[in-house]
């Protein structure tokens, strides 16, 4: 489209024009004249610059944005600073509605925010999302949270869940414990969905004698869209957190595509099984604990009753563990190098819990050197079993612990805690084989073709 | 007056943001339910139209079909902008002489009436500053946009709107004119021309609902009104002219109100349930039901201004009723209609006393299932009545089949648009433009002239070929040397007839099939009259053309054999011929053609029949 032979030259040096445009604040009103006589009036949304391209995005009075590839012949005719914020615009960080943080009253629900989609909003400058942190902003975003009683919003982390590290689990567990000690009836944790299942398992393994529910909740659609699942999920989570018949860590998310039923998953049994659907979270090797509808809960498994309190916490952790996914062609050297320096390895094996026999030597050596090696299955459904095939027996003979129907990620999370609790491989092995929080079952009932 | 048009045309490329087909589907495969809530956009303020819709707290049912996927269900992020749709949009920009933008930014336009699962419609500005010449006048085309169509509303179940996802995401090209149209007839002509130009790309969908117009109308002193989703081109003129009449009437009412200078419409309403329960007829029959209430709002100074004051039937009362209906009451009774509906003059007098209504005061009355609905309905009526003093409120209106329009919601502002962050901006390269222009179609007028000169067929027939989108096969087959009249008849008559008669969904004959069929005619294997029976048989049996021809093939018929058949038929039907004359001849011609089954040319059949009739008359001595 650029015509290099346009004779008319801009009045100002082109560099100055671009430099001006780049320096004026986002939100300024600008008027741009292009060489073909097109005059564009709008609000400056952003400017971007790379060695070979300068672009400016403006919002037209019609509401449409358009991108302009800046040419030397383009001219910035006028610009004026951004108008003040509009009247009915709720300002982020504004004090929350009155009842919002009515601390001091008993029976409040703690809402611990960690970041993630459920507590993030679109940054229109970069197109990315940024976390909602303050209580005021949260209650603005999610009015009605305190409809049935007071809530306290407590920012803990400010991270997308893929950025969360194991020590964050411990910080979070301590904050949950503090909530209960301060009189919370229940605790809700808003969390990014990517690694929510890890955090849920970690909380379940770290906290015991819970006097009330700990409910992790997330969103698969960002809250800036009218269809976000974040709001219904969070309302459901807060409703569940007020219940008096639940004393364990659970995950609450959509049970299907509709905004009316929410599955309650046991923390050590749940897995994100879809990249984008609202009902991505599924319980494995059994049904979810129950289904929460607008008014009631239908339990399919009896939940753990609340303890008398006070809540207990075991916050020891040793991050020297790893999770190894084996696959056809994985060289034994590479696997060995990956596991080097680890006090424990969880193998996500094939089928009933296998690796190629080429891996036997390094596994044998690692165990001989005092490491724990535990076997889980990539199948996710069903238990591992060393006795069906020769490979299994060889792995067993090498000292590998077969971890039943424990999910690989859950086993990894548990491993770090088990390593923190004991320096002795035998103790770690014994701990790993013991059921801490419903992560292993000895019985799997017949269900239909699909998922429960 | 000023009017502008927005023409929305569906494309038959792929869907705009996923890999689904753009065919509508008959059978739902799954259903789910959702709610939508208003969310702040870029500026964090909630648009008035959005807030209005979201306030209803409505739940929606969605039906998924074979023509949609997780993207339409709002369960998967949108894919990149469909390349074919973009190419078509750039081609359309070129046809209107518009300037493509350097970078397309996909926007979310908030719509929380349930017609979009996400709560917004994705839309992007593709080009600006085009124009269109119709007759003597040139109109500006300020914008050309590419957007996704909404889900299809299938009705309501238990008060819950049901939408089908098959239509959601079908690409729409939106061509908008400037506010330069001055009456209904002109609006219709401009819309027709835009439609013809869009169809010229041959990448548009056809049929009911595949093209829809929004009309923006305002008269001096009035405000902008958007009439949304007009499907019938022939009604466009009527909608525009009626809207002008409506606004003119509202301005006249405003002037009368200003003369009277009444106090503002008061807050609060009057409960008339007990007073009206004994009426027992019309809308008041409902009052026997428990909880149902009747409530009235005093309208100071409105007496005589609610009913018709002009001959064209525009009245403020209807506007008030539309606002009341938006809150779930069935309708509204106003004082200019009374006495009626079982309210006699004494009762009317008692109502007026109850409301303390003076001589120039009017009132509005609603019957609602509960006091909350009544209050909300009268709140809207109050709002609308107060706006009457200002003249014409800005609104979005729905077109009705009778050429009238009805209030649907407030006009949305720019606050409802914010960027679709899941789709990165798409830079338009010179290559994109070259690719789009590569198959630039002829302008409709130029094409008509060329076709008429090339094929010597009646203009109506050529138009029909074009309208039915058969120009491509037509020109191809004629190019192979087949007679244009024969090809035209095959494409516009014989194939549609065979399809209609055959089993659903009907055979899909390829161009190659049609080539072979016409070759058989050229080689004399079948006569032109044999085409219809072959197609019928083919459609019935499926299989190949050859097997259809084979099963229809009889020993060839000689001219002598034809002559004998003709004589036999005439001999059998002497009485009929004597009685019905020429009409009898046509009937016999039909019988004889069926017997010949395409083995001789129709002209020969006619000749032999005429000869046989002549011979028979000579024999019997009749003149």
């Amino acid at each position: 489209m650029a015509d290099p032979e346009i004779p008319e030259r801009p009045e100002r040096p082109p560099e100055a024009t671009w430099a001006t445009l780049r320096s004026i604040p986002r939100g300024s009103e600008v008027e741009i004249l292009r060489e073909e006589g097109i005059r564009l009036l709008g609000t400056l949304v952003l400017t971007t610059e790379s060695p070979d391209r300068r672009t400016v995005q403006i919002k037209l009075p019609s509401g449409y944005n358009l991108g302009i590839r800046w040419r030397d012949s383009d001219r910035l005719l006028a610009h004026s600073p951004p108008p003040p914020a509009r009247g009915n615009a709720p300002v982020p960080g504004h004090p929350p509605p009155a009842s919002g943080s009515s601390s001091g009253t008993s029976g409040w629900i703690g809402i611990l925010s960690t970041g993630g989609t459920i507590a993030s909003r679109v940054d229109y400058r970069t197109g990315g999302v940024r976390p909602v942190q303050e209580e005021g902003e949260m209650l603005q975003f999610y009015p009605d949270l305190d409809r049935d009683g007071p809530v306290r919003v407590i920012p803990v982390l400010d991270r997308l869940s893929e950025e969360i590290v194991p020590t964050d689990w411990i910080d979070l567990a301590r904050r949950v414990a503090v909530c209960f000690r301060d009189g919370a009836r229940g605790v809700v944790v808003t969390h990014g969905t990517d690694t929510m299942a890890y955090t849920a398992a970690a909380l379940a393994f770290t906290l015991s004698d819970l006097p009330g529910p700990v409910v992790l909740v997330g969103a698969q659609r960002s809250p800036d869209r009218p269809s976000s699942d974040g709001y219904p999920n969070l309302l459901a989570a807060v409703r569940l957190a007020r219940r008096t018949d639940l004393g364990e860590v659970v995950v609450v998310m959509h049970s299907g595509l509709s905004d009316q039923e929410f599955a309650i998953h046991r923390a050590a049994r749940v897995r994100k099984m879809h990249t984008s659907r609202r009902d991505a979270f599924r319980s494995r090797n059994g049904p979810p604990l129950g289904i929460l509808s607008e008014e009631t809960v239908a339990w399919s498994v009896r939940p753990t009753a609340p303890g008398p309190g006070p809540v207990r916490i075991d916050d020891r952790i040793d991050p020297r563990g790893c999770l190894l996914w084996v696959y056809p062609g994985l060289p034994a050297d590479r696997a060995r190098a990956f596991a080097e320096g680890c006090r424990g390895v969880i193998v996500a094996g094939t089928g009933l819990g296998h690796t190629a026999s080429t891996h036997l030597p390094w596994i044998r050596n690692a165990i001989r050197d005092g490491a724990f090696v535990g076997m889980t299955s990539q199948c996710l459904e069903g238990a591992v079993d060393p006795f069906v095939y020769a490979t299994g027996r060889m792995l067993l003979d090498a000292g590998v612990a077969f971890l039943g129907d424990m999910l690989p990620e859950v086993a990894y999370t548990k491993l770090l805690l088990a390593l923190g609790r004991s320096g002795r491989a035998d103790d770690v092995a014994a701990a790993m084989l013991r059921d801490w929080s419903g992560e292993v079952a000895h019985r799997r009932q017949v269900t239909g073709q699909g998922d429960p | 007056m000023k009017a502008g048009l927005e023409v929305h045309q569906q494309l038959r490329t792929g869907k705009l943001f996923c890999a689904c087909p753009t065919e509508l589907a008959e059978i739902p495969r799954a259903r789910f339910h959702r709610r939508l809530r208003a969310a702040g956009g870029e500026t964090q303020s909630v648009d008035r139209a959005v807030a209005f819709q979201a306030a209803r707290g409505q739940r929606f049912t969605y039906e998924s079909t074979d023509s949609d996927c997780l993207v339409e269900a709002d369960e998967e992020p949108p894919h990149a902008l469909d390349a074919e749709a973009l190419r078509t949009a750039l081609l359309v920009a070129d046809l209107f002489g518009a300037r493509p933008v350097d970078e397309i930014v996909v926007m979310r336009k908030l719509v929380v009436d349930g017609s979009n699962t996400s709560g917004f419609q994705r839309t992007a500005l593709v080009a600006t500053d085009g124009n269109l010449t119709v007759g003597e006048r040139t109109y500006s085309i300020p914008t050309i946009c590419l957007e996704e169509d909404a889900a299809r509303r299938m009705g309501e179940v238990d008060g819950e709107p049901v939408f089908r996802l098959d239509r959601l995401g079908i690409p729409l090209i939106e061509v908008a004119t400037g506010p330069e149209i001055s009456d209904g007839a002109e609006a219709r002509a401009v819309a027709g021309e835009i439609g013809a130009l869009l169809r010229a790309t041959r990448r548009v969908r056809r049929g009911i609902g595949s093209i829809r117009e929004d009309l923006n109308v305002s008269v001096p002193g009035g405000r902008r009104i958007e009439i949304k989703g007009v499907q019938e081109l022939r009604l466009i003129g009527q909608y525009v002219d009626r809207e002008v009449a409506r606004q003119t009437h509202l301005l006249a009412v405003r002037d009368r109100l200003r003369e009277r200078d009444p106090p503002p419409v008061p807050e609060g309403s009057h409960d008339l349930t007990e007073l009206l329960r004994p009426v027992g007829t019309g809308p008041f029959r409902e009052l026997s039901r428990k909880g149902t209430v009747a409530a009235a709002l005093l309208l100071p100074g409105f007496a005589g201004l609610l009913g018709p004051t002009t001959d064209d039937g525009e009245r403020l009362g209807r506007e008030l009723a539309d606002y009341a209906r938006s809150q779930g009451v069935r309708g509204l009774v106003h004082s200019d209609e009374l006495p009626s509906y079982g309210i006699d003059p004494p009762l009317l007098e008692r109502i007026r006393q109850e409301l303390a209504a003076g001589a120039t005061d009017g009132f509005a009355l609603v019957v609602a299932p509960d006091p909350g609905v009544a209050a909300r309905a009268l709140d809207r009526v109050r709002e609308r009545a107060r706006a009457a003093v200002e003249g014409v409120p800005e609104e979005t209106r729905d077109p009705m089949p009778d050429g009238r329009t009805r209030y649907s919601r407030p006009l949305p502002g720019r606050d409802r648009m914010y960027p679709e962050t899941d789709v990165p901006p798409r830079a338009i390269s010179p290559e994109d433009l070259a690719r789009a222009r590569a198959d630039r179609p002829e302008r409709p007028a130029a094409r008509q002239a060329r076709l008429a000169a090339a094929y010597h067929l009646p203009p109506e027939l050529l138009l029909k070929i074009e309208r039915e989108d058969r120009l491509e096969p037509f020109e191809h087959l004629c190019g192979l040397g087949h007679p244009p009249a024969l090809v035209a008849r095959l494409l516009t008559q014989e194939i549609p007839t065979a399809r209609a008669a055959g089993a659903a969904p009907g055979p899909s004959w390829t161009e190659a099939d049609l080539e072979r069929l016409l070759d058989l005619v050229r080689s004399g294997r079948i006569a032109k009259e044999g085409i219809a029976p072959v197609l019928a048989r083919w459609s019935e049996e499926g299989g190949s053309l050859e097997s259809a021809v084979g099963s229809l093939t009889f020993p060839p018929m000689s001219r002598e054999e034809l002559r004998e058949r003709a004589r036999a038929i005439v001999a059998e039907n002497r009485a009929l011929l004597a009685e019905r004359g020429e009409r009898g001849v046509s009937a016999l011609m039909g019988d004889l053609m069926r017997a010949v089954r395409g083995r001789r040319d129709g002209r020969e059949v006619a000749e032999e029949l005429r000869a046989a009739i002549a011979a028979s008359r000579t024999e019997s001595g009749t003149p």
Side-chain angles (χ1 to χ4, degrees):
Chain A
M1 287 192 301
D3 186 348
E5 296 188 354
I6 290 281
E8 189 193 341
R9 302 309 304 166
E11 286 158 12
R12 276 185 267 182
E15 286 308 316
T17 302
W18 171 255
T20 313
L21 190 64
R22 199 179 45 178
S23 65
I24 63 179
R26 173 178 173 250
S28 298
E29 299 296 322
V30 295
E31 184 179 357
I32 291 166
L33 180 67
R34 313 212 72 188
E35 60 190 341
E36 55 274 19
I38 290 179
R39 192 179 293 264
L40 294 165
L41 264 167
T43 309
L44 182 68
V45 177
L46 82 155
T47 53
T48 51
E49 187 165 4
S50 64
D52 58 335
R53 213 162 69 163
R54 294 162 164 179
T55 57
V56 51
Q57 201 179 108
I58 63 169
K59 188 178 190 67
L60 301 177
S62 61
Y64 279 99
N65 291 22
L66 63 81
I68 299 166
R69 209 155 38 230
W70 194 260
R71 296 184 297 240
D72 289 348
S73 53
D74 291 330
R75 276 182 291 166
L76 176 64
L77 291 185
H79 62 91
S80 54
R86 295 202 212 175
N88 62 342
V91 180
H94 198 73
S99 69
S101 57
S102 39
S103 327
T105 43
S106 62
W108 53 277
I109 302 297
I111 299 180
L112 305 184
S113 71
T114 68
T117 299
I118 188 165
S120 61
R121 63 203 303 173
V122 171
D123 180 334
Y124 293 99
R125 201 175 51 79
T126 62
V129 290
R130 68 169 187 81
V132 171
Q133 278 294 292
E134 295 86 6
E135 176 165 294
E137 201 177 3
M138 177 79 90
L139 283 169
Q140 236 169 45
F141 239 91
Y142 298 118
D144 277 4
L145 279 183
D146 50 356
R147 191 179 48 192
D148 300 327
V151 299
R152 281 188 213 170
V153 179
I154 302 159
V156 176
L157 291 170
D158 172 0
R159 278 197 226 149
L160 296 176
S161 74
E162 60 270 32
E163 308 287 356
I164 282 178
V165 294
T167 47
D168 293 331
W169 304 336
I170 301 302
D171 289 344
L172 192 56
R174 289 183 186 133
R175 301 297 284 267
V176 172
V178 167
C179 279
F180 281 117
R181 279 179 208 142
D182 287 353
R185 172 184 286 185
V187 174
V188 169
V189 178
T190 63
H191 202 287
T193 54
D194 277 15
T195 67
M196 183 158 70
Y198 290 83
T199 303
L203 293 180
F205 293 145
T206 315
L207 297 163
S208 50
D209 287 345
L210 282 168
V214 176
V215 186
L216 283 90
V217 66
Q220 292 281 84
R221 298 277 93 73
S222 58
D224 59 273
R225 47 169 81 208
S227 60
S228 173
D229 55 332
Y231 189 45
N233 284 347
L234 188 53
L235 282 180
V238 171
R239 211 157 61 235
L240 186 69
R242 292 191 189 284
R243 287 190 74 97
T244 53
D245 57 350
L246 183 63
E248 64 176 298
V249 182
V250 295
V251 167
V252 164
M253 292 287 284
H254 269 58
S255 72
L257 301 190
S258 295
D259 287 336
Q260 52 193 11
E261 290 191 333
F262 306 87
I264 306 165
H265 302 280
R266 180 159 272 169
R269 280 300 190 183
V270 69
R271 196 170 192 281
K272 186 176 184 181
M273 297 299 291
H274 199 278
T275 57
S276 60
R277 278 173 64 134
R278 285 166 171 74
D279 58 354
F281 282 78
R282 300 292 175 100
S283 288
R284 302 283 62 160
N285 289 307
L289 285 181
I291 300 290
L292 177 68
S293 59
E294 312 233 319
E295 301 301 330
T296 57
V297 175
W299 298 108
S300 39
V301 176
R302 186 199 297 260
T304 308
V311 61
R312 289 190 301 141
I313 178 166
D314 188 337
D315 54 6
R316 291 170 293 172
I317 189 167
D318 182 343
R320 288 174 293 169
C322 68
L323 172 58
L324 172 69
W325 182 281
V326 299
Y327 51 86
L330 171 64
D333 281 354
R334 188 166 295 161
R336 182 182 45 74
F338 178 73
E340 213 164 76
C342 285
R343 290 183 53 215
V345 182
I346 299 298
V347 178
T350 54
L352 285 162
H354 303 137
T355 67
S357 50
T358 50
H359 291 283
L360 278 166
W362 74 261
I363 290 175
R364 232 178 250 127
N365 289 341
I367 293 170
R368 199 188 49 221
D369 294 347
F372 167 82
V373 178
M375 180 62 73
T376 60
S377 175
Q378 297 170 10
C379 297
L380 308 177
E381 294 280 353
V384 292
D385 191 316
F387 299 112
V388 182
Y389 295 99
T391 320
R393 288 167 206 247
M394 286 189 277
L395 287 162
L396 189 69
D397 290 343
V400 172
F402 279 70
L403 299 176
D405 61 3
M406 209 184 302
L407 289 166
E409 303 88 337
V410 171
Y412 163 73
T413 307
K414 186 177 175 184
L415 173 67
L416 302 195
L417 301 169
L419 293 174
R421 292 174 195 188
S422 174
R424 295 186 49 238
D426 288 351
D427 292 348
V428 171
M432 287 302 290
L433 290 167
R434 198 172 59 237
D435 179 23
W436 292 9
S437 197
E439 72 276 17
V440 189
H442 299 289
R443 188 163 173 255
R444 284 158 292 279
Q445 285 186 276
V446 173
T447 58
Q449 245 347 87
D451 299 324
Chain B
M1 64 151 288
K2 290 191 303 187
L5 278 173
E6 286 173 18
V7 177
H8 301 88
Q9 168 71 60
Q10 290 179 336
L11 302 184
R12 52 155 204 225
T13 56
K15 281 201 180 174
L16 197 50
F17 293 105
C18 68
C20 285
T22 51
E23 303 308 317
L24 298 184
E26 291 313 312
I27 306 156
R29 295 171 55 235
R31 286 188 178 79
F32 56 92
H33 309 276
R34 294 273 172 75
R35 285 180 209 281
L36 296 171
R37 55 192 286 260
E42 245 166 331
T43 55
Q44 287 307 315
S45 52
V46 174
D47 189 81
R48 57 187 171 178
V50 172
F52 169 76
Q53 289 172 340
R56 297 178 178 184
Q58 184 63 271
R59 206 174 77 143
F60 308 102
T61 298
Y62 295 100
E63 296 179 343
S64 175
T65 70
D66 283 334
S67 292
D68 56 81
C69 66
L70 288 180
V71 174
E72 287 88 335
D74 191 44
E75 292 288 356
E76 183 175 308
H79 304 184
L81 205 60
D82 182 73
E84 255 323 278
L86 177 58
R87 192 161 75 99
T88 307
L90 291 173
L91 174 59
V92 168
D94 184 58
L95 291 177
F96 285 94
R99 299 284 308 192
V101 300
D102 292 349
E103 268 188 15
I104 293 179
V105 182
V106 179
M107 305 297 291
R108 298 171 171 177
K109 188 191 279 184
L110 289 175
V111 182
V112 292
D113 64 359
S115 61
N116 290 70
T117 45
S118 55
F120 47 74
Q121 177 194 29
R122 296 188 184 92
T123 174
L125 180 61
V126 173
T128 62
D129 299 271
N131 60 74
L132 170 71
T133 302
V134 183
E136 302 287 288
R137 283 200 58 185
T138 296
Y139 301 86
S140 70
I141 302 290
T143 59
I144 293 173
C145 296
L146 189 53
E147 51 191 39
E148 52 179 8
D149 205 343
R152 265 205 293 167
R153 196 185 163 111
M154 308 304 286
E156 271 186 23
V157 175
D158 300 333
E160 191 169 318
V162 179
F163 291 95
R164 190 169 288 176
L165 300 183
D166 52 357
R167 201 181 69 182
L168 182 59
I170 291 180
L172 288 175
I173 288 202
E174 182 202 88
V175 177
T177 74
E180 296 146 21
I181 293 166
S182 42
D183 63 39
E186 199 181 333
R188 187 181 163 171
V190 172
E193 189 62 26
I194 292 174
L197 214 46
L198 290 170
R199 281 193 297 277
T201 65
R202 291 191 222 155
R203 294 193 211 129
V204 302
R205 292 190 76 234
R206 296 300 178 85
I208 291 285
S210 61
I211 186 161
R212 302 192 295 271
E213 279 90 12
D214 293 351
L215 312 172
N216 288 302
V217 184
S218 63
V219 304
R223 302 287 285 281
R224 190 164 75 92
I225 294 293
E226 185 169 285
I227 302 168
K228 231 174 160 44
V230 178
Q231 300 201 3
E232 295 208 48
L233 188 63
R234 63 184 178 85
L235 288 178
I236 285 183
Q238 214 176 338
Y239 288 126
V240 170
D241 294 340
R242 280 239 161 119
E243 179 55 28
V244 171
R246 193 184 70 90
Q247 293 192 30
T248 308
H249 172 72
L250 291 177
L251 291 174
V253 167
R254 175 197 66 183
D255 294 343
R256 295 280 305 279
L257 273 174
R258 286 183 177 172
E259 282 164 26
R260 291 181 184 176
D261 194 22
V265 181
E267 296 294 328
S269 58
H270 298 261
D271 184 350
L272 300 183
T273 312
E274 296 311 320
L275 191 59
L276 294 173
R277 185 173 289 137
V279 175
T281 56
F284 306 108
R285 199 177 318 154
E286 306 269 318
L287 289 175
S288 59
R289 211 170 289 163
K290 196 166 182 251
T292 303
V293 297
L297 177 68
L298 181 69
L299 300 171
F302 279 76
L305 301 180
L306 298 164
T309 53
T310 51
D311 292 339
D312 52 30
E314 298 301 334
R315 46 186 177 270
L316 184 60
R318 182 183 290 136
E319 311 280 322
L320 301 184
D322 287 346
Y323 274 65
R325 258 196 294 269
S326 76
Q327 299 303 313
V329 301
R330 216 175 281 163
L332 169 147
V333 173
H334 61 75
S335 46
D336 286 357
E337 302 175 283
L338 299 176
S340 179
Y341 298 112
I343 294 179
D344 54 17
L347 182 54
L348 178 57
E349 197 40 47
R350 286 200 54 199
I351 295 173
R352 300 192 72 93
Q353 278 169 12
E354 183 75 23
L355 301 177
T360 59
D361 296 342
F363 62 86
L365 182 56
V366 295
V367 176
D370 66 70
V373 172
R376 281 198 297 278
L378 288 180
D379 283 347
R380 300 297 326 275
V381 172
R382 183 181 304 108
E383 176 194 328
R384 180 64 189 85
R386 285 177 178 172
V389 186
E390 307 299 323
V392 185
E394 284 193 339
E395 289 167 349
T396 301
R397 298 181 68 83
D398 291 333
M400 306 306 286
D402 64 355
R404 290 186 180 280
T405 60
R406 192 152 101 176
Y407 169 77
S408 77
R409 55 181 184 268
L411 202 60
R414 70 184 271 194
D415 285 341
R416 68 202 280 242
M417 296 262 261
Y418 60 111
E420 168 54 274
T421 48
D422 294 342
V423 181
R426 168 74 157 80
I428 301 302
S429 65
E431 293 75 41
D432 287 325
L433 297 177
R435 218 172 297 135
R437 287 176 189 145
D439 51 358
R440 185 187 279 176
E442 290 171 285
R443 299 237 150 205
R447 184 171 54 227
Q448 282 301 324
R450 178 179 65 78
L451 294 176
Y455 299 111
H456 305 291
L457 290 178
E460 312 81 64
L461 183 58
L462 287 169
L463 258 176
K464 185 168 155 82
I465 291 171
E466 249 197 288
R467 254 199 319 267
E468 291 174 5
D469 210 17
R470 302 187 196 282
L471 196 57
E472 219 164 317
F474 173 77
E475 297 215 75
H476 172 74
L477 293 170
C478 291
L480 296 174
H482 298 293
L486 178 65
V487 177
R489 199 173 67 193
L490 172 67
L491 294 175
T492 60
Q493 285 175 30
E494 284 157 344
I495 289 180
T497 307
R499 278 214 174 117
S508 54
W509 292 306
T510 63
E511 224 163 85
D513 288 332
L514 301 183
E515 269 177 44
R516 276 165 30 236
L517 178 63
L518 290 172
D519 282 344
L520 291 177
V521 177
R522 180 150 57 190
S523 67
R525 177 104 192 275
I526 53 176
K528 1 189 236 302
E529 290 72 18
I531 290 178
V534 166
L535 287 175
R537 178 62 61 96
W538 194 0
S539 159
E540 231 166 72
E541 290 179 353
S544 71
L545 168 64
E546 285 67 26
S547 74
V549 172
S551 73
L552 272 179
T553 303
F554 313 96
M557 185 180 253
S558 67
R559 186 76 186 229
E560 284 66 41
E561 207 182 326
L562 171 63
R563 190 167 299 145
E564 274 166 34
R565 282 282 183 114
R567 283 185 176 155
I569 274 187
V570 169
E572 283 162 24
N573 292 287
R574 253 192 206 124
L576 177 86
L577 278 171
E579 190 184 308
R580 296 175 59 186
E582 268 312 299
R583 275 190 298 155
V585 177
S586 316
L588 293 195
M589 182 68 190
D591 289 352
L592 188 54
M593 285 296 284
R594 269 190 291 283
V596 172
R597 289 182 184 256
R599 284 171 294 172
R600 302 293 315 186
D601 195 87
R603 191 178 39 81
E604 295 173 331
V605 177
E607 279 171 15
E608 290 300 337
L609 184 64
R610 291 270 168 211
I613 292 170
S616 118
R617 282 177 183 154
T618 315
E619 278 164 29
S620 62
T622 44

